Amino acid sequence: MNSGIEIDEEVKQVLLGSLLGDGYIARGSKNSGYVEAHSLKQKDYFFWKVKILSRYFRVKTRFGNNGPKYYKYTLSTNYASIFTEMHSLFYVKSILPSSKWVKVINPLILSQLTPLGLAVWYCDDGTYYVRDNSCSLSTQGFTFKDHLVLKNYFLSKWNIDTVIIEDYRKYLNEHRVYYRIMFNKKSAEKFLNLIKDFVPECMTYKLGRISNKNKELMENEDKRYKAIRKVE
């Protein structure tokens, strides 16, 4: 980053991974700030990020509800030139009237990602599937073209093959097709082994069978699926 603010590599990777995941940059009249929210289930993960970002930024946190049943933790930083620079790398102007900016996949950002950045991205947006030991990234906010860039990135950079899955969802009164990145069993094992040493303790459940700490959880899930198959 050329903003004049020097941040260490850990903070940089947490920001890059988070901006590919749940985080976003709020634009101001001069500079920009970083914002992110997590559910109650991810309270420990949320404060893990707060602790890291607080090394260089003033971080405000708040707890509140978004609707009658959904409560969340939100963090926001001070506005700084580094976030203005990051905004130019993560966003382009939207052609839709409903939004001014849209997040995109930038190969320059991908080239800077380390296993820590990937781990944060997966902790934000990743899902592990017990039935077939696969996993995915919830990348539905990106275009199909962006997904082609992601697929090429994982293969060329990490030699990990991925599949682009169509995901149909209802938006307003119409059904739309979105996309997400899928890792089959073999690719998931390779990907999760790449990032496992950088996943915070509170998020190891997302590593599935890769982590021995999930042994009891995986055994319980296996029993649950066997019971479901008997019913079917």
Side-chain angles (χ1 to χ4, degrees), residues 86-120:
M86 283 185 166
H87 188 278
S88 68
L89 297 172
F90 277 93
Y91 296 85
V92 296
K93 286 190 174 181
S94 175
I95 60 173
L96 301 174
S98 57
S99 59
K100 189 174 182 180
W101 302 97
V102 61
K103 195 182 287 187
V104 296
I105 294 295
N106 186 335
L108 180 61
I109 293 297
L110 296 180
S111 69
Q112 298 179 55
L113 281 177
T114 67
L116 171 58
L118 290 172
V120 172

Side-chain angles (χ1 to χ4, degrees), residues 125 127 129 136-144 147 150 165-169 177-181:
D125 281 348
T127 301
Y129 302 97
S136 70
L137 287 168
S138 296
T139 47
Q140 290 92 335
F142 298 112
T143 65
F144 182 73
H147 280 79
L150 285 174
I165 299 293
E166 291 186 346
D167 189 7
Y168 293 90
R169 297 188 177 187
V177 59
Y178 298 89
Y179 306 93
R180 57 189 168 96
I181 288 290

Side-chain angles (χ1 to χ4, degrees), residues 10-69:
E10 183 178 27
V11 173
K12 175 183 174 181
Q13 291 302 320
V14 168
L15 283 171
L16 295 183
S18 297
L19 283 166
L20 287 166
D22 292 330
Y24 69 92
I25 295 176
R27 291 264 297 189
S29 57
K30 182 179 179 181
N31 282 317
S32 305
Y34 178 77
V35 183
E36 182 171 350
H38 283 281
S39 66
L40 270 65
K41 181 181 178 181
Q42 296 185 337
K43 175 184 176 181
D44 291 342
Y45 179 53
F46 172 83
F47 283 104
W48 176 81
K49 286 191 178 184
V50 169
K51 183 178 180 180
I52 292 173
L53 296 179
S54 294
R55 294 180 199 163
Y56 294 92
F57 308 106
R58 296 190 304 276
V59 181
K60 294 182 179 179
T61 63
R62 107 183 132 80
F63 174 73
N65 64 311
N66 184 21
K69 295 183 179 180

Side-chain angles (χ1 to χ4, degrees), residues 132-161:
D132 58 4
N133 304 316
S134 62
C135 68
S136 70
L137 287 168
S138 296
T139 47
Q140 290 92 335
F142 298 112
T143 65
F144 182 73
K145 184 178 179 181
D146 285 330
H147 280 79
L148 292 175
V149 174
L150 285 174
K151 182 175 175 61
N152 179 68
Y153 162 74
F154 280 111
L155 187 60
S156 60
K157 175 70 175 181
W158 305 106
N159 195 29
I160 296 175
D161 196 18

Side-chain angles (χ1 to χ4, degrees), residues 128 189 192-193 196-197 199-201 203-220:
Y128 182 84
E189 183 177 3
L192 296 177
N193 273 306
K196 67 179 182 180
D197 293 335
V199 171
E201 181 76 20
M203 299 299 285
T204 53
Y205 71 91
K206 286 201 173 190
L207 292 172
R209 300 185 200 279
I210 296 299
S211 174
N212 291 330
K213 296 175 183 178
N214 294 329
K215 183 179 179 181
E216 184 177 350
L217 174 64
M218 294 299 100
E219 288 176 349
N220 290 336

